[in-house]
Amino acid sequence: MRYLPAVEALNVCGDWYDVVDLPDGCFAVAVGDVVGHGLEAATSMGMLRSALSAAIRALKEPAPALEVLGLYARSLEGALATTAVKAVIDTSRRRITYSSAGHPPPILLNLGDSCTLLDQATDPPLGARREHVTRPQAALSYAPGDTLVLYTDGLIERRDRDIDVGLALLADVLARSGRLDPGHLADALLSGMDVSSGARDDIALLVVRL
């Protein structure tokens, strides 16, 4: 896990990550990004992170948990347009179930060094719709030793390039460095994406060896 505030943000940011143990050999991971910087964004971030952590414990599935979070975001000042992605890992079935609220897709690296974007269950950010709509959810299998990477947009987005270029670069760096242990892999991703010495946007990065 790595957390880098934007160089001008004075360590007060709106990005977050979270890991939650669940029953029956499952656990959940999430990252999210509140619009803006400063104390207001950090306050909203803390409340949203706590709400999503509670929701996934009660509901056990990522899409319903994000639906609850979206309803909560409507009543929380500064929370609208927040993006988040939630994944539940079932270690007994070796299966990842996920849902995204307007967030960049997680990446799964397998032992053959190929990458899969978890982009089959993407919906608008929290509170973007006036009416409640059921959020999509998707699932895929993994093998022991695969690596799941979740991150916020500060890792891949730059003003002078398309987001697809950033995603391709991240996948390339991940494939070349994927055999490192999770801590060193996180550092290699930050270095390879040229943000290890400071970022213009907040970055939350979560590397999970499955």
Side-chain angles (χ1 to χ4, degrees):
M1 294 178 283
R2 296 292 184 271
Y3 189 85
L4 273 70
V7 291
E8 73 276 9
L10 300 178
N11 294 317
V12 182
C13 309
D15 289 17
W16 86 83
Y17 60 79
D18 193 33
V19 180
V20 176
D21 285 325
L22 298 172
D24 303 320
C26 297
F27 66 97
V29 292
V31 293
D33 183 358
V34 176
V35 175
H37 304 285
L39 185 58
E40 181 180 356
T43 300
S44 297
M45 175 273 290
M47 297 177 75
L48 290 170
R49 179 176 61 185
S50 296
L52 184 57
S53 182
I56 196 64
R57 285 181 168 93
L59 299 170
K60 307 297 191 299
E61 292 191 344
L66 285 177
E67 289 174 26
V68 169
L69 192 66
L71 293 172
Y72 177 55
R74 295 181 188 177
S75 64
L76 184 62
E77 186 174 355
L80 294 183
T82 293
T83 68
V85 61
K86 190 76 177 180
V88 173
I89 294 89
D90 185 334
T91 60
S92 61
R93 298 172 61 198
R94 296 177 183 171
R95 194 161 181 82
I96 302 168
T97 306
Y98 65 95
S99 184
S100 174
H103 201 82
I107 300 181
L108 180 67
L109 173 71
N110 68 31
L111 291 177
D113 296 332
S114 66
C115 293
T116 301
L117 293 178
L118 277 63
D119 59 0
Q120 300 302 301
T122 299
D123 222 27
L126 301 179
R129 292 192 179 101
R130 293 186 178 182
E131 303 295 332
H132 175 73
V133 176
T134 301
R135 288 191 176 272
Q137 183 169 288
L140 74 167
S141 299
Y142 71 87
D146 287 356
T147 303
L148 180 64
V149 177
L150 298 88
Y151 54 93
T152 52
D153 59 6
L155 185 65
I156 60 170
E157 288 189 350
R158 302 292 181 273
R159 294 178 182 177
D160 58 349
R161 74 183 183 204
D162 188 83
I163 189 172
D164 289 338
V165 175
L167 280 171
L169 177 59
L170 178 60
D172 180 64
V173 175
L174 180 58
R176 288 189 281 108
S177 307
R179 298 186 186 277
L180 297 173
D181 67 79
H184 288 98
L185 176 55
D187 292 335
L189 291 175
L190 294 173
S191 178
M193 300 301 290
D194 196 28
V195 292
S196 55
S197 60
R200 293 186 178 181
D201 195 8
D202 313 331
I203 297 172
L205 174 63
L206 187 59
V207 177
V208 183
R209 184 64 43 80
L210 300 168

